Amino acid sequence: MTTVIPFGPQHPVLPEPVSLKLEIDNDVVVGALPSLGYVHRGLEKFIDTKDYNQTTYICERICGICSALHGITYTKAVEKLFDAEIPERAEYIRVIVGELNRLHSHLLWLGLFADGFGFESLFYECWKYREEVLDVAERITGNRVIHSISKVGGVSRDLTKENIDMLLKMCDSLEPKIKDIEKVFVNNYTVKQRLVGLATMSKQLAYEAGTAGPTLRGSGNAIDVRETADWDIYKDLGFKTAVAKEGDCYGRTKVRIDELYESIKLIRNAISKLPNGDIATPIKGFPTGEAIMRTEQPRGEVVYYVKGNGTKNLERLKVRTPTFANIPSLLLMLPGVRLADVPIVVLTIDPCISCTER
Amino acid sequence: MMGMLNLVLTNISRKPATRLYPFEIREPFKEFKGRIVFDPGNCILCGICQKKCPPDAITVTKADKMWEINLFRCIMCTECVVGCPKDCLSISNERVKTGAKETVKVVVPIVDKPKAPKAASK
Ligand code: SF4
Ligand code: SF4
């Protein structure tokens, strides 16, 4: 006989409200039913009252953790409507801020995850390192969480010599620290006991379920929008997709740790190739037509669809966020998992509910 | 296992990573966008800053010569700073204090009445 128990919307491991109705047999999950809608804010409709420049700031507020990449993706989508040529320097600055965003998001996730399986000191360790990244981001962009760096036509702040030194110093100091925590996440006996073999998804299943981001790559699919989509700059920077074959919680953790190194490498390469020149081009007129832009956020691929109708307001803005794509895979992962492991499995897709519900 | 033990043991001998807020407050970085500062000297009450502001934090009332900002609404996007034709607005790295007065009203002293630029009427 099965019992249905609610998981969330308020749960210690969940920073945001999502509710799962878990059908359990003894203490093994046999089915799960999600219900969403607790933090719906109607942001896609809200843009009706703002012009396309102001919408950038709304998009950044879709999510607090990946805010810079929301802003960047939106502005790039609108630039497509204008067919605008963006200065190279601006694109490089976008990449740098985007990767800082990924660094702090992954460190945040690693910390939360460690907390999820009860490793408190590891949690504090990760968050301590995250502070360094946030401080640098604050000094580069002026804002700590919502960076507001990207605007339609370029970026709003230039990188100074001082900023660049600071970034390089941060990269140098962060790398050995990540190595330290990597050892714990990858080799520690207790951690492995909790993670290895938990909620395994095969390569095929992860692909067919339409998962995105580290959840997809943790199952051995080398698919990263930074490599495949139409933002070429990552190819010039020598980006390589991080993959793990395991397909379980352990594999997904490994992918995220590898991506930390990858982000540091991208920041270093972007700084070494940083071209001189303008940081923004003026954009005149009102957008017409439709455009789609995809970028890789810390949680996976985000898709922005914008439609302009020749007025200052956009006619339609549609955002497909990575967590929205990952929730179905969560429902596939959960059956067979024991109730005590459900929090870890939920965390392993790095759910961002505010993104999903907008 | 040793890796974590080393980390924990070194952490014991280190000073805490956090500060004893509110007794110890970190100075804001000089690059930090803290608040908008308005210098009424050159303002022509054109209202561009009001139109550019995404959260409608600025209100310009021409009749009363009043320029008003709601600091709690302001999201520090600096659109107004870039947009102002007379460079009246600037960014300061000072934080808006909790419990500070929400709105700042400034009466703009327009001495000789300059004509508002055409762009303002759009
Ligand atoms: S844009 Fe500048 S000049 Fe115009 S009202 Fe605002 S502060 Fe005054
Ligand atoms: S910084 Fe942005 S939000 Fe603040 S007053 Fe200026 S335009 Fe408005």
Side-chain angles (χ1 to χ4, degrees):
Chain A
M1 203 194 78
T2 58
T3 328
V4 175
I5 64 157
F7 176 88
Q10 298 293 335
H11 190 280
V13 300
L14 293 173
E16 290 174 293
V18 59
S19 162
L20 289 171
K21 284 202 171 57
L22 298 175
E23 200 181 326
I24 55 166
D25 183 9
N26 270 332
D27 76 339
V28 177
V29 178
V30 288
L33 192 68
S35 64
L36 295 162
Y38 295 94
V39 279
H40 175 65
R41 292 156 291 165
L43 292 181
E44 283 175 1
K45 179 71 185 156
F46 185 48
I47 62 143
D48 286 1
T49 60
K50 305 285 169 195
D51 71 30
Y52 67 90
N53 281 313
Q54 296 175 333
T55 304
T56 315
Y57 303 101
I58 298 173
C59 292
E60 290 196 318
R61 277 155 184 79
I62 287 178
C63 171
I65 306 296
C66 32
S67 78
L69 281 157
H70 271 293
I72 291 168
T73 319
Y74 168 75
T75 45
K76 284 192 73 66
V78 174
E79 282 156 9
K80 266 191 180 175
L81 292 183
F82 284 105
D83 255 334
E85 193 71 30
I86 304 306
E88 281 239 298
R89 191 176 173 88
E91 296 279 43
Y92 276 77
I93 295 176
R94 282 177 183 173
V95 168
I96 291 173
V97 176
E99 291 311 310
L100 278 176
N101 218 194
R102 191 182 321 275
L103 270 178
H104 93 72
S105 170
H106 278 353
L107 282 169
L108 172 118
W109 179 84
L110 286 169
L112 282 179
F113 195 51
D115 189 40
F117 55 69
F119 210 146
E120 287 280 327
S121 24
L122 194 54
F123 160 52
Y124 287 120
E125 214 50 41
C126 295
W127 279 42
K128 202 165 84 186
Y129 304 152
R130 176 174 177 255
E131 278 313 291
E132 283 179 29
V133 184
L134 282 180
D135 280 354
V136 171
E138 181 177 343
R139 297 184 66 175
I140 289 174
T141 62
N143 286 335
R144 188 176 162 79
V145 179
I146 313 273
H147 304 309
S148 298
I149 186 79
S150 192
K151 62 176 189 183
V152 178
V155 291
S156 57
R157 260 201 195 196
D158 201 359
L159 275 185
T160 59
K161 178 86 188 48
E162 204 186 344
N163 290 155
I164 290 173
D165 293 342
M166 209 163 53
L167 270 168
L168 290 174
K169 217 173 109 197
M170 182 209 76
C171 291
D172 292 342
S173 95
L174 208 58
E175 212 164 18
K177 290 173 181 166
I178 296 173
K179 285 218 169 75
D180 279 349
I181 51 169
E182 182 190 9
K183 276 184 217 143
V184 185
F185 274 110
V186 175
N187 299 334
N188 190 294
Y189 174 75
T190 330
V191 176
K192 275 170 110 174
Q193 284 289 312
R194 283 306 295 274
L195 303 185
V196 175
L198 181 61
T200 311
M201 259 205 311
S202 68
K203 185 173 173 180
Q204 184 67 14
L205 183 66
Y207 185 78
E208 281 171 1
T211 43
T215 318
L216 178 64
R217 294 194 284 280
S219 292
N221 298 285
I223 301 174
D224 190 312
V225 184
R226 283 176 282 177
E227 208 166 24
T228 55
D230 36 1
W231 197 8
D232 297 333
I233 191 161
Y234 279 103
K235 285 170 209 145
D236 305 340
L237 294 175
F239 170 73
K240 265 197 27 228
T241 308
V243 253
K245 293 189 298 293
E246 286 87 346
D248 51 6
C249 291
Y250 184 67
R252 294 187 272 273
T253 314
K254 274 191 4 195
V255 166
R256 288 189 174 99
I257 292 175
D258 286 347
E259 286 192 356
L260 290 176
Y261 294 121
E262 206 56 42
S263 292
I264 292 181
K265 188 181 100 190
L266 285 173
I267 291 177
R268 284 202 179 118
N269 289 356
I271 288 175
S272 67
K273 288 192 175 174
L274 192 68
N276 291 322
D278 289 344
I279 55 161
T281 42
I283 290 203
K284 296 258 158 55
F286 299 133
T288 44
E290 303 172 274
I292 282 182
M293 183 70 208
R294 306 185 298 153
T295 55
E296 184 77 18
Q297 279 186 340
R299 287 157 186 80
E301 172 190 353
V302 69
V303 185
Y304 265 74
Y305 166 79
V306 287
K307 184 172 182 201
N309 54 1
T311 64
K312 70 181 170 100
N313 306 91
L314 289 176
E315 189 177 320
R316 181 83 171 97
L317 167 76
K318 171 86 189 111
V319 189
R320 204 293 317 258
T321 58
T323 306
F324 184 74
N326 280 339
I327 284 182
S329 71
L330 177 66
L331 304 182
L332 293 173
M333 277 181 221
L334 278 174
V337 167
R338 299 179 67 180
L339 186 58
D341 287 331
V342 171
I344 310 185
V345 179
V346 174
L347 274 180
T348 187
I349 66 159
D350 200 358
C352 178
I353 308 302
S354 296
C355 274
T356 313
E357 295 173 5
R358 302 178 295 284
Chain B
M1 194 65 222
M2 284 319 285
M4 197 62 216
L5 203 60
N6 277 344
L7 273 182
V8 173
L9 289 177
T10 32
N11 277 344
I12 287 177
S13 56
R14 264 191 214 140
K15 72 178 196 1
T18 48
R19 274 173 229 96
L20 220 63
Y21 189 84
F23 306 108
E24 198 185 321
I25 298 174
R26 169 168 70 66
E27 283 299 307
F29 297 124
K30 68 175 194 302
E31 301 91 342
F32 175 57
K33 294 186 206 158
R35 58 174 287 180
I36 294 291
V37 180
F38 175 57
D39 166 23
N42 290 328
C43 179
I44 47 171
L45 292 170
C46 64
I48 291 180
C49 52
Q50 180 182 352
K51 286 202 191 77
K52 292 244 167 182
C53 180
D56 304 328
I58 299 179
T59 319
V60 180
T61 328
K62 221 164 177 185
D64 311 342
K65 291 187 179 168
M66 188 74 90
W67 187 95
E68 231 176 282
I69 182 169
N70 184 333
L71 291 175
F72 289 180
R73 269 195 99 97
C74 170
I75 54 171
M76 288 311 304
C77 62
T78 64
E79 285 279 329
C80 56
V81 180
V82 180
C84 177
K86 292 284 172 187
D87 293 336
C88 304
L89 298 164
S90 56
I91 311 163
S92 139
N93 71 343
E94 176 203 355
R95 291 192 188 95
V96 180
K97 298 228 166 43
T98 332
K101 261 222 313 268
E102 194 176 310
T103 47
V104 175
K105 289 188 184 181
V106 183
V107 179
V108 178
I110 295 192
V111 197
D112 49 336
K113 278 204 219 139
K115 275 183 229 115
K118 273 264 146 57
S121 54
K122 268 205 202 127

